Amino acid sequence: MAKARPGNLKRFYDVNGWLFVAPALLLIATFMFYPIIRSLVLSTFSGRGMMMKFVGFGNVVRLWNDPVFWQALTNTMTFLVIQVPVMIMLALILANALNNPRLRFSGLFRTAIFLPCVSSLVAYAILFKSMFATNGIINSTLAGIGIIDTPIEWFTDPFWAKTLVILAITWRWTGYNMIFYLAALQNIDKSIYEAARIDGVPAYRRFLHITIPMLKPVILFTTITSTIGTLQLFDEVYNLTEGTGGPANATLTLSLYIYNLTFRFMPNFGYAATVSYVIVLIVAVLSFLQFYAARERS
């Protein structure tokens, strides 16, 4: 029997390897690369359907002079700067507390904190809107203990509307990040803490100089994913404000503005595609800076 030559075997495995990954590559090309290229081409047009016309960089000029876009960008960056650090720190503190072996009912607490993350977003929004209604339980409780005299208009006051969105996002996604920190904490060698305890290192210094450095990869991961998620913030704002981004665009985000430009208020597909690339650019820049800062510290 003739022996197969090494060159023929290599070509055989190369062909079969490409055939094996071809369906996945086809799906990626269809649902990822094509939309990216198509949206880039679309950003040079204005209008929709048969009314599309080529404008080149006209959408970029319009973007620069669009006050609603700058309002949406400001709101998005405000949510990013406030909500992400608060959520990361809160998740880390909760994970550290739940990692205590002496804590009773830790499984129950872990489930309760993680539950909002897996609950229905519609039900979550309805619960939030009922809690913070003018005659809801929050206003009733605050009035009952004497903190307020008149009910707070959570959904009509710009400041409180922003606060409510930040609270809703933090409450929903803190448990998600907490699970990552908890898993990482449980993998840290306990002998490191024991050695520090024997040397008389206080608990806060063990947290700052042992726990935090050991969690750097997880902190980087959760920071990047939380940053991307906040920049793409849509669901919570849409459900809480019924898609208006109100009051007076106080909670309008870039993703909600893209939705409104695409499906509401005289749709303009080309301009919506241009706004979407602003999110892509911000995500790319912030991700690069976070990776670079983490590499420099390490």
Side-chain angles (χ1 to χ4, degrees):
M1 182 180 293
K3 294 183 179 180
R5 296 180 180 179
N8 293 335
L9 284 175
K10 185 177 183 302
R11 285 194 294 271
F12 173 78
Y13 286 120
D14 285 346
V15 171
N16 280 273
W18 281 109
L19 289 175
F20 181 76
V21 300
L25 291 176
L26 181 62
L27 289 174
I28 292 173
T30 303
F31 295 104
M32 179 177 286
F33 295 141
Y34 173 74
I36 291 174
I37 296 172
R38 175 60 179 163
S39 63
L40 185 62
V41 174
L42 195 62
S43 66
T44 61
F45 288 80
S46 180
R48 62 169 180 167
M50 301 299 295
M51 302 169 61
M52 299 279 286
K53 63 177 181 179
F54 180 78
V55 294
F57 291 100
N59 285 327
V60 178
V61 176
R62 176 181 173 182
L63 198 72
W64 188 260
N65 298 307
D66 183 1
V68 180
F69 163 76
W70 289 109
Q71 178 69 51
L73 178 61
T74 302
N75 294 339
T76 303
M77 297 308 294
T78 301
F79 295 145
L80 176 67
V81 171
I82 297 175
Q83 183 263 335
V84 171
V86 170
M87 183 173 61
I88 294 299
M89 289 188 291
L90 184 59
L92 184 55
I93 292 170
L94 290 172
N96 193 61
L98 290 174
N99 193 45
N100 187 349
R102 295 190 297 272
L103 179 66
R104 300 182 63 184
F105 308 113
S106 60
L108 178 62
F109 292 137
R110 183 168 59 246
T111 302
I113 296 171
F114 186 71
L115 188 61
C117 176
V118 296
S119 62
S120 168
L121 183 59
V122 175
Y124 181 79
I126 292 174
L127 174 64
F128 238 79
K129 291 171 74 172
S130 63
M131 288 173 57
F132 288 91
T134 304
N135 58 347
I137 187 173
I138 300 298
N139 276 333
S140 300
T141 303
L142 294 175
I145 59 180
I147 295 180
I148 60 174
D149 296 323
T150 57
I152 298 175
E153 299 293 337
W154 298 98
F155 295 99
T156 57
D157 183 273
F159 173 79
W160 290 116
K162 280 191 175 73
T163 304
L164 189 59
V165 170
I166 293 172
L167 181 61
I169 307 167
T170 303
W171 188 5
R172 182 170 175 80
W173 295 111
T174 295
Y176 174 82
N177 291 316
M178 182 200 69
I179 294 298
F180 287 101
Y181 291 134
L182 187 59
L185 284 169
Q186 292 173 348
N187 284 321
I188 297 177
D189 190 353
K190 299 298 185 293
S191 62
I192 301 175
Y193 291 106
E194 188 63 30
R197 193 177 296 109
I198 292 173
D199 289 339
V201 179
Y204 78 93
R205 292 192 63 186
R206 293 198 299 269
F207 181 77
L208 292 176
H209 299 290
I210 297 178
T211 303
I212 298 296
M214 297 290 283
L215 293 180
K216 274 186 178 180
V218 183
I219 292 174
L220 176 63
F221 170 77
T222 54
T223 302
I224 291 176
T225 54
S226 299
T227 298
I228 294 173
T230 304
L231 288 172
Q232 296 176 341
L233 179 61
F234 173 81
D235 295 340
E236 288 82 358
V237 177
Y238 180 85
N239 282 279
L240 288 175
T241 67
E242 299 179 355
T244 63
N249 292 331
T251 59
L252 182 69
T253 62
L254 288 175
S255 294
L256 183 57
Y257 188 40
I258 292 169
Y259 171 83
N260 290 338
L261 286 171
T262 307
F263 301 107
R264 305 172 66 185
F265 310 147
M266 298 182 65
N268 189 325
F269 296 162
Y271 187 52
T274 305
V275 178
S276 69
Y277 271 94
V278 174
I279 298 179
V280 173
L281 180 62
I282 296 174
V283 168
V285 171
L286 291 181
S287 298
F288 171 78
L289 292 176
Q290 288 168 345
F291 272 114
Y292 181 78
R295 188 182 65 176
E296 287 297 310
R297 284 196 297 266
S298 62

